[in-house]
Amino acid sequence: VMSRLGGVYVDFERNLAVGADGLKVESFRRQGNTISLKLVGQLAELPAPYDQPYRVQLRIVGLPAGEYDLVLNDQTPRRMDAEQLKHETIFVSADGKVGERQ
């Protein structure tokens, strides 16, 4: 699954969002050229939590060509084009926080 969809796969054409690699997609939406995602890292909740930060491939598809502002977990928007959004890397910290950079 991860080799085909990445750790987080969002398809706006099909109104579908799937989290893998220990992530849950709590919400996703597109308003004009702004894409907002709320992601939750779930591995920190395990009885023996995964205690290392790791990278996750974010794949957002089903968008018309153009530039978008990606807002991840209410962080500062990041301007990206539709092609970049198909192959973006995000980070999950040991405590389960999800961010764009580490």
Side-chain angles (χ1 to χ4, degrees):
V1 170
M2 290 185 22
S3 66
R4 308 238 327 145
L5 301 179
V8 177
Y9 179 82
V10 180
D11 186 336
F12 280 101
E13 190 172 52
R14 292 184 174 95
N15 195 33
L16 171 73
V18 178
D21 204 7
L23 293 174
K24 174 184 174 185
V25 179
E26 205 166 79
S27 66
F28 68 104
R29 71 179 176 165
R30 176 182 164 220
Q31 288 184 283
N33 286 355
T34 299
I35 296 170
S36 300
L37 299 177
K38 297 253 187 209
L39 305 175
V40 176
Q42 296 180 299
L43 296 181
E45 298 173 22
L46 292 172
Y50 188 78
D51 61 357
Q52 298 294 316
Y54 62 100
R55 296 174 189 216
V56 174
Q57 290 300 307
L58 171 64
R59 295 189 180 152
I60 301 176
V61 300
L63 296 170
E67 291 195 336
Y68 296 87
D69 290 320
L70 174 63
V71 180
L72 185 59
N73 289 353
D74 297 320
Q75 297 174 2
T76 303
R78 184 169 169 213
R79 176 74 36 126
M80 304 177 78
D81 66 35
E83 284 303 309
Q84 288 174 301
L85 288 167
K86 291 179 183 178
H87 307 284
E88 180 58 12
T89 300
I90 58 176
F91 297 89
V92 182
S93 65
D95 62 2
K97 293 182 181 168
V98 181
E100 294 173 2
R101 297 223 181 339
Q102 185 155 351

